[in-house]
């Protein structure tokens, strides 16, 4: 009888350690906190490398890479009570973000050609070069299909500039929540 009583006393606290996390994971989100723009020398079938100030690069080898730094947060409810337990870790960015892109504009600080003087939008000249695996390219979307933040978008220029000369590209990203981020490349020489 003592053994049964002892077994019941030991079993009761273990029963209190039931799964408090539930089958639904807590909601995880991310917040865009900026934008970065890099000019890369990316020849076909070779490793890309960052362009240094005043370096020369030909237009077919130029790759503009935009990345979005993000901060993860979770809407997991606070747990209370006097029991201790641990839940499985969350997948980062599980459900993405409520932020959406309002506008994204690429400009140059220098004349590009007759139709694109310094400061004018170059959006009609740029083409997406790389889409991350599984990316759904919907209007105003900044997350991949699996909810992860869009880590990088790569652009190429579809048309050569009028002449060789200095270029410095700037991206302006405006989100629907009013946040505006700008980033620019180093100044370099772009060859046609």
């Amino acid at each position: 009888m003592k053994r049964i009583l002892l077994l019941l006393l030991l079993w009761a606290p273990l029963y209190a350690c039931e799964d408090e996390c539930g089958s639904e994971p807590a909601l995880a989100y991310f917040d865009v906190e900026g934008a970065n723009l890099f000019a890369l020398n990316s020849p076909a079938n070779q490793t890309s490398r960052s362009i240094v100030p005043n370096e020369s690069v030909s237009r077919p080898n130029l790759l503009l890479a935009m990345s979005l730094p993000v901060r993860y947060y979770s809407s997991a409810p606070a747990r209370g009570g006097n029991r201790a337990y641990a839940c499985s870790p969350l997948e980062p960015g599980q459900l993405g973000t409520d932020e959406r892109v309002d506008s994204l504009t690429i400009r140059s600080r220098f004349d590009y050609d007759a139709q694109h003087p310094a400061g004018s939008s170059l959006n009609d000249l740029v083409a997406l070069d790389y889409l991350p695996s599984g990316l759904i390219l919907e209007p105003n979307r900044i997350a991949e299909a699996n909810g992860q933040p869009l880590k990088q978008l790569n652009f190429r220029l579809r048309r050569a500039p009028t002449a060789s000369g200095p270029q410095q590209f700037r991206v302006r990203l405006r989100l629907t929540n009013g946040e505006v981020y700008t980033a620019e490349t180093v100044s370099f020489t772009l060859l046609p």
Side-chain angles (χ1 to χ4, degrees):
M1 181 70 171
K2 287 184 180 181
R3 288 185 188 184
I4 294 174
L5 184 58
L6 182 60
L7 185 58
L8 286 173
L9 288 174
L10 291 175
W11 179 75
L14 292 176
Y15 181 74
C17 292
E18 65 189 67
D19 183 14
E20 294 288 334
C21 299
S23 60
E24 296 287 321
L27 303 178
Y29 296 93
F30 64 90
D31 178 43
V32 175
E33 294 192 325
N36 297 314
L37 186 65
F38 304 97
L40 305 174
N41 189 346
S42 182
N45 301 322
Q46 293 184 22
T47 304
S48 299
R49 65 174 179 73
S50 292
I51 295 172
V52 296
N54 302 318
E55 181 180 347
S56 294
V57 64
S58 65
R59 194 252 335 148
N61 293 346
L62 176 65
L63 184 70
L64 298 175
M66 184 186 81
S67 65
L68 301 175
V70 297
R71 177 183 56 84
Y72 290 106
Y73 66 94
S74 175
S75 65
R79 308 247 186 226
N82 57 4
R83 291 183 270 179
Y85 54 87
C87 298
S88 298
L90 296 172
E91 290 295 320
Q94 176 188 339
L95 294 179
T97 181
D98 291 331
E99 296 175 324
R100 297 289 181 256
V101 175
D102 180 53
S103 64
L104 186 142
T105 309
I106 298 177
R107 303 177 191 280
S108 177
R109 294 186 61 208
F110 301 93
D111 292 342
Y112 191 82
D113 59 21
Q115 295 81 27
H116 301 91
S120 64
S121 172
L122 299 175
N123 285 9
D124 61 322
L125 292 180
V126 295
L128 281 173
D129 179 68
Y130 163 76
L131 291 176
S133 172
L135 175 68
I136 296 175
L137 199 59
E138 297 174 356
N140 304 331
R141 189 171 171 97
I142 59 173
E144 293 185 28
N146 63 3
Q148 291 295 309
L150 182 61
K151 294 180 177 59
Q152 185 170 320
L153 273 181
N154 294 341
F155 303 97
R156 290 215 187 254
L157 295 163
R158 290 188 273 199
R159 195 168 65 217
T162 304
S164 297
Q167 291 295 330
Q168 185 173 19
F169 296 99
R170 172 179 280 185
V171 67
R172 181 180 184 272
L173 174 70
R174 179 180 168 84
L175 303 178
T176 53
N177 64 0
E179 295 174 7
V180 176
Y181 300 105
T182 59
E184 63 185 16
T185 65
V186 297
S187 183
F188 59 94
T189 301
L190 184 60
L191 308 172

